[in-house]
Amino acid sequence: SQWHFGAVVISSDGTNSRMYLDGSTNYATFNAVLGPSVAGSTTIGYALGNYMNGMVDEVRVYEGALTPVDIQTIYNYENQ
């Protein structure tokens, strides 16, 4: 099995989003439909009628948006 680090940062108004894979934004370009007005539960690993082929472990939610340096620091720490 292969381990990957994924992170998504979304602005508080839900208009800007950035996706990181293994500490890099080279894989990013997507539209997030999230924000303070979204009601109900959040689904991780499912989008547009498709489920992710794999497992999700150690989900974290932070109060504020992480910077690219924050993401890289977390990735480096988890990848030791």
Side-chain angles (χ1 to χ4, degrees):
S1 85
Q2 191 170 6
W3 178 91
H4 289 283
F5 172 82
V8 176
V9 178
I10 303 167
S11 63
S12 61
D13 63 3
T15 59
N16 295 307
S17 57
R18 179 169 288 142
M19 181 175 169
Y20 295 82
L21 183 60
D22 297 333
S24 172
T25 60
N26 292 341
Y27 302 93
T29 315
F30 76 103
N31 294 319
V33 182
L34 296 172
S37 64
V38 175
S41 61
T42 299
T43 303
I44 297 172
Y46 177 80
L48 303 174
N50 297 301
Y51 286 97
M52 180 186 84
N53 183 14
M55 296 173 55
V56 177
D57 188 19
E58 297 187 33
V59 174
R60 300 176 192 168
V61 177
Y62 294 89
E63 186 175 341
L66 300 177
T67 67
V69 172
D70 295 332
I71 299 290
Q72 189 64 53
T73 300
I74 294 168
Y75 171 70
N76 290 341
Y77 177 78
E78 297 293 335
N79 200 32
Q80 294 181 17

